[in-house]
């Protein structure tokens, strides 16, 4: 006959799970139960607080749509996505460009654009050029590497946040040339607040945090035989460069736009950044995040 208290309930739960055939599932659920129970004991969780937590998570789920992933946003503001990214980077077989958050605004199916194209449909803001090379860890160019980019406009809005989120804009997919070179035109994006109108935003406000991300451009680079790189470049003069609400900034990803005689587009300020892809390990997978639509249950 079981006679459980706040400590032995943990042993009982672990014992019931011990025959889990999938070893990795067993390891993850064992640790999750141990840490969750320890957390409840540490804060002496009351039934009301437990229910508040359940209600919060329910609202997070209800806020998810094909263009919004509130659970990923929650992971981001808790720093969990940054931890998973850092762990993923550490497992690479060789050093590549550092990862950063994919974020909730990534979309499959952005327009395929020729090198040099502007990723904005229209803009009155000054254009800048982003250019550089995609290489191996040892500097060998990767011809044909797929470079996906997306960002906010000069007002700090993603396409998904305007006009009902229908039109694709401020995003594009490019192919590096035979020497691994890429270049495209854009505008300097404005830093922006993460979506604050849902349960995650409410939590951020209750924690007295500002909710802003510094100005950045997202980049996702893939090439056969290489580890996919999900990263972003951050503009160093943004006032929130040291207090990103989702912990995505790393010093190696900080850039500035400047006059640059070597830029492929004369007359525009430019950001020069060379990306390095690590070779893929056997059976490697892993991207922290997804197109929100891909995480929604299929329509019945
Ligand atoms: C973004 O950079 O798009 C982003 C990342 C995490 C949370 C919200 C937005
Ligand atoms: Fe972003």
């Amino acid at each position: 006959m079981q006679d459980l208290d706040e400590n032995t309930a943990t042993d009982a739960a672990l014992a019931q799970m011990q025959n889990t055939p999938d070893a990795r599932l067993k390891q993850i659920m064992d640790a999750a139960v141990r840490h969750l129970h320890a957390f409840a004991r540490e804060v002496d969780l009351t039934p009301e607080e437990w229910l508040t937590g359940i209600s919060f998570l329910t609202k997070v789920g209800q806020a998810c749509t094909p263009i919004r992933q509130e659970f990923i946003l929650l992971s981001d503001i808790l720093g969990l996505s940054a931890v998973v990214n850092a762990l993923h980077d550490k497992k690479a077989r060789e050093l590549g460009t550092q990862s950063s958050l994919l974020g909730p605004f990534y979309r499959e199916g952005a327009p395929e654009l020729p090198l040099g194209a502007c990723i904005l449909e229209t803009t009155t803001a000054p254009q800048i050029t982003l250019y550089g090379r995609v290489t191996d860890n040892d500097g060998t160019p990767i011809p044909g590497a797929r470079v996906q980019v997306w960002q906010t406009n000069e007002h700090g809005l993603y396409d998904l946040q305007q006009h009902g989120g229908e039109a694709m804009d401020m995003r594009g997919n490019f192919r590096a040339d035979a020497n691994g070179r890429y270049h495209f035109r854009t505008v300097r994006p404005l830093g922006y607040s993460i979506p604050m109108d849902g349960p995650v935003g409410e939590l951020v406000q209750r924690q007295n945090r500002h909710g802003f991300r510094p100005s950045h451009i997202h980049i996702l680079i893939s090439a056969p035989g290489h580890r996919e790189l999900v990263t972003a470049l951050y503009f160093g003069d943004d006032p929130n460069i040291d207090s990103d609400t989702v912990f995505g900034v790393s010093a190696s990803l900080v850039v500035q736009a400047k006059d640059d005689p070597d830029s492929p587009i004369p007359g525009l300020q430019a950001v020069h950044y060379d990306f390095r892809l690590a070779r893929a390990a056997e059976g490697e997978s892993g991207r922290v995040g997804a197109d929100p639509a891909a995480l929604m249950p299929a329509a019945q």
Side-chain angles (χ1 to χ4, degrees), residues 141-261:
I142 306 180
R146 185 160 194 250
V147 181
Q148 301 184 59
V149 302
W150 66 105
Q151 64 168 75
T152 56
N153 60 16
E154 66 274 27
H155 307 295
L157 291 172
Y158 280 98
D159 53 3
L160 288 167
Q161 297 171 308
Q162 349 180 73
H163 320 305
E166 303 277 293
M168 292 253 189
D169 199 2
M170 290 91 75
R171 52 182 87 229
N173 299 338
F174 297 90
R175 292 275 174 191
D177 71 11
N179 298 310
R181 291 183 196 282
Y182 75 91
H183 75 285
F184 63 90
R185 283 175 296 129
T186 182
V187 298
R188 194 189 145 124
L190 191 68
Y192 59 89
S193 165
I194 62 162
M196 296 294 269
D197 58 345
V200 171
E202 196 183 317
L203 175 63
V204 167
Q205 269 162 342
R206 287 193 59 185
Q207 293 175 322
N208 214 6
R209 295 162 66 176
H210 61 56
F212 275 89
R213 296 218 69 203
S215 167
H216 60 276
I217 300 177
H218 292 274
I219 318 268
L220 194 164
I221 305 184
S222 43
H226 293 82
R227 213 173 201 244
E228 183 183 68
L229 172 67
V230 177
T231 194
L233 300 178
Y234 294 90
F235 288 85
D237 54 0
D238 187 288
N240 295 309
I241 193 72
D242 290 321
S243 61
D244 181 8
T245 199
V246 295
F247 313 102
V249 180
S250 298
S252 68
L253 301 175
V254 173
V255 296
Q256 65 178 120
K258 54 185 181 196
D259 296 336
D260 179 349

